[in-house]
């Protein structure tokens, strides 16, 4: 009898801990998702103006993710994944070449500089 009651209490305690863990995971995931969304739609610069100029060479055939990683390595953006998603959402094709960018530029500003001009067919 005591053993059955103890197993019931343990079973209930385990279920409560699992429910609390799932709730904590959902809250944490929601917070991280919100922060990621905010960073996509309200881009900020790495430094305040005037910042510093950085020369970047984008190679021919470089993808949006590659360019994002390069910009993150050079200290021009905070997160290459945010840049990659912005480039997709804003439908930017990136032009290869050498660019002088500034750490006070937002990712939107950078995309405006390095995007390929659309041609009419």
């Amino acid at each position: 009898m005591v053993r059955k009651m103890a197993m019931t209490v343990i079973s209930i305690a385990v279920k409560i801990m699992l429910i609390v863990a799932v709730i904590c995971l959902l809250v944490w995931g929601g917070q991280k998702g919100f922060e990621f969304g905010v960073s996509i739609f309200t881009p900020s610069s790495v430094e305040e103006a005037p910042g510093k100029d950085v020369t970047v060479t984008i190679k021919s055939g470089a993808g949006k993710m590659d360019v994002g990683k390069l910009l993150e390595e050079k200290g021009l953006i905070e997160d290459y994944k945010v840049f990659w998603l912005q480039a997709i959402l804003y439908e930017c094709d990136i032009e290869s070449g050498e660019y002088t960018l500034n750490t006070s530029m937002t990712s939107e500003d950078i995309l405006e500089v390095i995007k390929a001009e659309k041609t009419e067919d």
Side-chain angles (χ1 to χ4, degrees):
M1 176 79 163
V2 172
R3 185 176 184 159
K4 186 177 180 183
M5 190 180 281
M7 292 303 286
T8 302
V9 169
I10 290 172
S11 173
I12 291 171
V14 168
K15 288 178 185 175
I16 289 172
M17 288 190 305
L18 283 174
I19 290 170
V20 168
V22 167
I23 289 171
C24 289
L25 184 63
L26 287 173
V27 168
W28 177 82
Q31 180 183 10
K32 291 297 178 187
F34 178 78
E35 290 171 1
F36 188 72
V38 166
S39 65
I40 290 171
F41 296 108
T42 57
S44 61
S45 61
V46 175
E47 293 180 4
E48 295 292 320
K52 68 177 183 179
D53 288 339
V54 178
T55 302
V56 175
T57 302
I58 298 174
K59 297 179 181 171
S60 180
K64 295 172 175 93
M65 178 110 24
D66 299 324
V67 173
K69 287 178 181 179
L70 174 67
L71 296 174
E72 184 178 14
E73 287 171 11
K74 296 283 188 171
L76 291 162
I77 60 172
E78 303 248 342
D79 187 351
Y80 74 91
K81 294 179 287 293
V82 171
F83 179 85
W84 169 74
L85 196 52
Q86 286 172 332
I88 291 171
L89 291 173
Y90 300 144
E91 298 177 350
C92 289
D93 292 324
I94 297 173
E95 183 76 31
S96 60
E98 185 170 288
Y99 299 95
T100 300
L101 304 171
N102 193 287
T103 55
S104 66
M105 297 172 79
T106 67
S107 52
E108 281 183 7
D109 297 334
I110 293 171
L111 280 170
E112 192 63 35
V113 171
I114 66 175
K115 76 177 180 180
E117 295 297 320
K118 298 236 184 229
T119 57
E120 294 294 321
D121 292 332

